[in-house]
C-alpha cells in the first residue's frame, strides 16, 4: 500500500516466550527492523521515511516447539498521515 512520509506502523503487546521480529519493507527492500527477545510487554513503532509502497513482515522464533508458552499477543496497525 502507498503511505505518505510520516505515516507510522505501531505494534504493542506481550511476548511470553521466544522472540519476534518486525521488518518495515519498502518495495520488498528493508527500511527498518525491530527485534523483540525479552519476555514481557513491548512497543514497536516505524515511521515511514518517505512516500512509497510499504508493508511490514513479522517473523517469530519459538523457544519451545508446540508449547502453550509460545504465545505472542499483539495489537498492530497503521496510522496514516493525510
Amino acid at each position: 500500500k502507498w503511505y505518505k512520509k510520516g505515516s507510522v506502523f505501531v505494534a504493542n503487546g506481550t511476548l511470553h516466550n521466544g522472540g519476534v521480529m518486525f521488518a518495515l519493507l519498502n518495495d520488498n527492500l528493508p527500511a527498518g527492523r525491530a527485534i523483540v527477545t525479552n519476555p514481557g510487554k513491548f512497543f514497536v513503532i516505524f515511521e515511514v521515511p518517505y512516500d512509497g509502497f510499504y508493508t511490514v513482515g513479522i517473523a517469530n522464533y519459538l523457544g519451545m516447539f508446540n508449547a502453550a508458552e509460545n504465545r505472542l499477543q499483539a495489537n498492530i496497525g497503521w496510522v496514516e498521515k493525510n
Side-chain angles (χ1 to χ4, degrees), residues 8-28:
V8 294
F9 170 82
V10 178
N12 70 330
T14 304
L15 178 67
H16 295 276
N17 188 26
V20 62
M21 180 184 74
F22 298 88
L24 179 66
L25 303 171
N26 174 249
D27 287 329
N28 290 326

Side-chain angles (χ1 to χ4, degrees), residues 31-42:
R33 71 174 178 200
I35 300 171
V36 180
T37 57
N38 294 330
K41 295 189 182 292
F42 66 87

Side-chain angles (χ1 to χ4, degrees), residues 1-81:
K1 181 174 177 179
W2 182 268
Y3 289 97
K4 290 184 178 181
K5 177 181 177 179
S7 296
V8 294
F9 170 82
V10 178
N12 70 330
T14 304
L15 178 67
H16 295 276
N17 188 26
V20 62
M21 180 184 74
F22 298 88
L24 179 66
L25 303 171
N26 174 249
D27 287 329
N28 290 326
L29 296 173
R33 71 174 178 200
I35 300 171
V36 180
T37 57
N38 294 330
K41 295 189 182 292
F42 66 87
F43 187 78
V44 172
I45 185 166
F46 292 125
E47 183 174 350
V48 170
Y50 51 89
D51 294 357
F53 288 101
Y54 289 88
T55 189
V56 173
I58 303 172
N60 65 345
Y61 165 75
L62 303 178
M64 304 171 144
F65 179 72
N66 208 18
E69 292 81 17
N70 287 331
R71 290 179 297 161
L72 168 69
Q73 298 170 314
N75 297 309
I76 62 173
W78 284 91
V79 179
E80 295 184 55
K81 187 169 183 178

